[in-house]
Each structure stands twice: as structure tokens, then as C-alpha cells.
Amino acid sequence: MKTIRQVSMLQFTLMVSAFQISVAFLSLPRELARQAGTDGWIAIFFGWGMATLASAALVKVMKNNPDGTILDLLQRYMGVWASKIAAFIFTAYYLLLAYDGFMIATLVIKLWLLPSTYIYVLVLLLLIPTFQIAQHGLQAIGRYSEIVTLLSIWIPFIYLATLRHAHWLYLLPVIKEGWLPVLSTIKIMVYPMLGIGLVFFLYPYLVRKDKALRAMVISNTLTCLVYLGITLVCYVYFSPDEIAEYNEPVISIMKSIEFQFIERVEVLFIAFYLFVFSCIWIPSMHLVSMNSAWLLGKGPERGHLAVWCFAVAVSFFIYRPSFIDAARVNNFLNLAGFVMEFALPACLLLYVAIIRKVRGEKRS
């Protein structure tokens, strides 16, 4: 593995959290409300617990090969072909995550800002800065996540302005229909928590590997606090029957905010939120190039990145996705993400533990 500059714990924490929040932030309140009504916010705590357990398994697995990525670990314990197959699967997985990010971002821009602009034109414009940042590696992406986080501090204060229209009685009674609707909503929290799998590739570059689990817990907590805040704001603003009618209640709620110096706050929000959107496809495109370079075993990652960026642009030129397509991709990613980022770490942890015991290796 080639040597690159290390990633600080702050960069690591913010990169994972920004990846999680990016596209799921806009529709999560609606998805939770459709399944469990105004009790859907309770499922966020279960999502936090599920992601934290998976994070612990991820970190524990990577401790068995601290100087390499998941591909190095698989090559060590399963052989070259297993690592090649894994590289192919991870390439497809992160390419789909990047495609999902581009798709949702461009559909939102087209709906709210630029209705006459073709989606492939928007994607092409977004791919240019994506390539410029992703080609410089994980530390550059980590620094970008820090900048985006600092620039996003004002967003929660904007939503606080909507509380003057709040109806807190919408939240009562709690657990109005029992625990079954809430428990059935937990599966929805898989997609919003995708991003913990970045540990598979970030772990060898961390400055303090012993603080990795702590950073993951902090990251998951930040993500769930953001989800909890925006979900409660939407629940007390929209009526229980009304919230399910909006595709992006997080944006629609901004129509109630008025300032003397700006007429449509949602326009400014969407334009700025592109930075947050990009926190899913920039690291995803970098990981796609990293895995494809490992799979083919030739050519620099930068060249692979250029090819994949071109492929994404062509795909949007050939096929113009809709919100229905985005919903289908999200449903698939909910299942695929559970396998890749929640089930896989547990299976790998068990497998590696058995192999180390058979080989007589000491525990790390």
C-alpha cells in the first residue's frame, strides 16, 4: 500500500458524519412518519445503537490488519481471489452510492432551482470539482469535510426560526399505536446510517487508531442528533397527516421563514446544501477508483477516477432518472448497505477470530 498523508481523528469523524447526513437528511422525517407516524423519531435511537454496534465490529476487524485496508485483510486471511472479488463488490457498491447522491442532488436542483436544465448537464458540472478533490486522496476529502461542517453551522439556527409555528401536541401521546410500528421502522434507519463502512478504507490512514471507535461513536451521535432535531422540527410543524405528502419536508418547511433581505430561503438552502450533498459522492468516487485500481492491478487511481467520472456523466446522458427511480435505488441500498456495512463486519469478525485461533495467532 502506498504511503499517503494521514487523516486526523476530527477529519475522520466529520467525514463519516457528513457522508451519513448528506442525502438521507432531506426525506428521513417523511419516511419515518409514513411507517410510525409521529413516533418515528424514536427509531433514530435504535438506528444509533445499531450503527454503534456495527462500528465496534468494524474497528475490531480492522485491528487485525491495522496497516492495510479491508482488501489487504481479505488477501491475508482468504487469499488473492477473495480480495479481488471484494474489490469488485466494493467498486459496485460505492459507485451506486455515488450515483444515488448525484441523482438525488440533481433531481432536487432541477425541481427547486433549475427546472429547464438537463440533469446530465448538472451532473457534468458537479463532476468537475468532484474529480479535483477526490484525486488528492483521503486527507483532502477529510479537510473538505471540515470546511463543509464549518460552513453548515448556520443551518440549525434557520430551522429554529420555524418553531414559532410549532404545535407540540402533534407529538402526543407518545407510543400512541404501541411499539410494533416503531420497531418496524428500524429498518428505515439503515440507509441514513450508511457511511460507517468508510472505516474499511480509512483505518490504516488514521493518526490515532486507538481512538477509532471513540471517533465512530461521536460521529454516529452527531448524525443522530441532526436527524432527531430535524425530525422533531418537521413533526411539530406539519400535521401527522400532512408530513407524508411532502417529498422533501426539510425543504418545504423553509417556506414559512421570511427575512427582509431574502424572499426565498429554500433557494439559498438548496444552493448551499450542494456542499453537503457532495460529501457522499466525493469519497465514494475516490473509493471506487481505489477498488478498481486494486481489482485491475494497473494504472494510477487518478486515471481510474477520470474513467469513472466519465462513465457517470455518460450514464446520466443516456438515462434520465426520476424521483421514482431514486426511491427504488434507496430501497436497494437499504438492503445492500445492511449487508455491506452491518452484516459483513460481524461475519468477518467471527471468521477472523476462528482463523486466528486455528493458526494460533495472538489476539490484537
Side-chain angles (χ1 to χ4, degrees), residues 28 32 38-53 174-175 179 182-183 185-186 189 193 220-221 223-229 231-232 342:
L28 181 62
L32 295 177
T38 54
D39 292 328
W41 60 272
I42 301 175
I44 296 175
F45 294 100
F46 289 97
W48 176 87
M50 183 171 59
T52 301
L53 290 175
V174 180
I175 315 296
W179 282 100
V182 175
L183 295 177
T185 310
I186 297 177
M189 287 303 301
M193 299 307 295
N220 291 330
T221 302
T223 299
C224 288
L225 285 176
V226 171
Y227 287 155
L228 182 63
T231 300
L232 290 176
F342 291 85

Side-chain angles (χ1 to χ4, degrees), residues 240-296:
D241 297 326
E242 183 184 16
I243 187 173
E245 299 178 0
Y246 293 91
N247 285 328
E248 294 89 20
V250 174
I251 300 176
S252 299
I253 198 175
M254 288 196 166
K255 291 183 177 180
S256 64
I257 304 175
E258 297 180 358
F259 295 109
Q260 293 181 353
F261 55 89
I262 185 171
E263 183 177 354
R264 296 185 60 190
V265 179
E266 68 272 16
V267 173
L268 176 63
F269 171 80
I270 297 170
F272 176 83
Y273 202 75
L274 281 175
F275 291 105
V276 183
F277 273 137
S278 65
C279 288
I280 186 172
W281 65 65
I282 291 178
S284 292
M285 291 302 292
H286 175 75
L287 293 180
V288 166
S289 64
M290 178 189 296
N291 281 278
S292 64
W294 176 284
L295 178 63
L296 299 178

Side-chain angles (χ1 to χ4, degrees), residues 297-319:
K298 58 181 179 179
E301 293 178 5
R302 187 173 183 270
H304 287 262
L305 178 62
V307 171
W308 285 115
C309 287
F310 177 77
V312 169
V314 171
S315 68
F316 277 95
F317 179 78
I318 296 174
Y319 181 74

Side-chain angles (χ1 to χ4, degrees), residues 49-348:
M50 183 171 59
T52 301
L53 290 175
S55 299
L58 279 161
V59 173
K60 186 66 176 177
V61 167
M62 295 309 298
K63 283 183 177 179
N64 292 284
N65 193 44
D67 297 324
T69 66
I70 182 64
L71 302 179
D72 297 295
L73 184 143
L74 291 174
Q75 181 172 320
R76 174 183 175 185
Y77 287 99
M78 296 185 182
V80 176
W81 281 106
S83 66
K84 294 289 185 180
I85 293 173
F88 175 80
I89 295 174
F90 277 113
T91 298
Y93 175 65
Y94 282 107
L95 184 61
L96 185 60
L97 279 172
Y99 183 87
D100 181 60
F102 282 119
M103 180 168 51
I104 294 177
T106 51
L107 286 172
V108 170
I109 295 170
K110 186 174 177 62
L111 177 64
W112 291 88
L113 299 183
L114 302 171
S116 301
T117 306
Y118 291 112
I119 286 181
Y120 69 87
V121 175
L122 297 174
V123 171
L124 183 61
L125 293 174
L126 294 174
L127 280 170
I128 296 173
T130 297
F131 178 79
Q132 292 298 324
I133 298 173
Q135 68 173 326
H136 294 294
L138 294 170
Q139 190 187 58
I141 298 173
R143 289 178 175 176
Y144 179 77
S145 300
E146 286 181 308
I147 295 172
V148 171
T149 302
L150 290 174
L151 294 176
S152 304
I153 293 177
W154 61 274
I155 294 180
F157 297 100
I158 293 295
Y159 283 105
L160 291 178
T162 66
L163 293 181
R164 67 178 183 273
H165 303 291
H167 299 277
W168 296 98
L169 292 179
Y170 287 159
L171 297 175
L172 300 177
V174 180
I175 315 296
K176 57 182 68 63
E177 296 181 6
W179 282 100
L180 184 60
V182 175
L183 295 177
S184 65
T185 310
I186 297 177
K187 63 180 182 293
I188 297 177
M189 287 303 301
V190 173
Y191 178 74
M193 299 307 295
L194 295 183
I196 57 176
L198 293 177
V199 179
F200 279 143
F201 300 95
L202 280 170
Y203 191 82
Y205 305 124
L206 298 181
V207 174
R208 294 290 304 275
K209 294 181 176 61
D210 58 318
K211 303 292 184 181
L213 181 56
R214 181 184 301 179
M216 287 298 296
V217 173
I218 295 174
S219 179
N220 291 330
T221 302
L222 287 174
T223 299
C224 288
L225 285 176
V226 171
Y227 287 155
L228 182 63
I230 192 58
T231 300
L232 290 176
V233 167
C234 289
Y235 283 3
V236 299
Y237 179 84
F238 298 105
S239 68
D241 297 326
E242 183 184 16
I243 187 173
E245 299 178 0
Y246 293 91
N247 285 328
E248 294 89 20
V250 174
I251 300 176
S252 299
I253 198 175
M254 288 196 166
K255 291 183 177 180
S256 64
I257 304 175
E258 297 180 358
F259 295 109
Q260 293 181 353
F261 55 89
I262 185 171
E263 183 177 354
R264 296 185 60 190
V265 179
E266 68 272 16
V267 173
L268 176 63
F269 171 80
I270 297 170
F272 176 83
Y273 202 75
L274 281 175
F275 291 105
V276 183
F277 273 137
S278 65
C279 288
I280 186 172
W281 65 65
I282 291 178
S284 292
M285 291 302 292
H286 175 75
L287 293 180
V288 166
S289 64
M290 178 189 296
N291 281 278
S292 64
W294 176 284
L295 178 63
L296 299 178
K298 58 181 179 179
E301 293 178 5
R302 187 173 183 270
H304 287 262
L305 178 62
V307 171
W308 285 115
C309 287
F310 177 77
V312 169
V314 171
S315 68
F316 277 95
F317 179 78
I318 296 174
Y319 181 74
R320 319 289 170 79
S322 64
F323 280 103
I324 296 177
D325 297 319
R328 291 172 180 169
V329 173
N330 289 353
N331 290 333
F332 178 77
L333 280 173
N334 203 63
L335 176 60
F338 178 79
V339 174
M340 297 295 293
E341 302 192 23
F342 291 85
L344 180 61
C347 295
L348 282 178

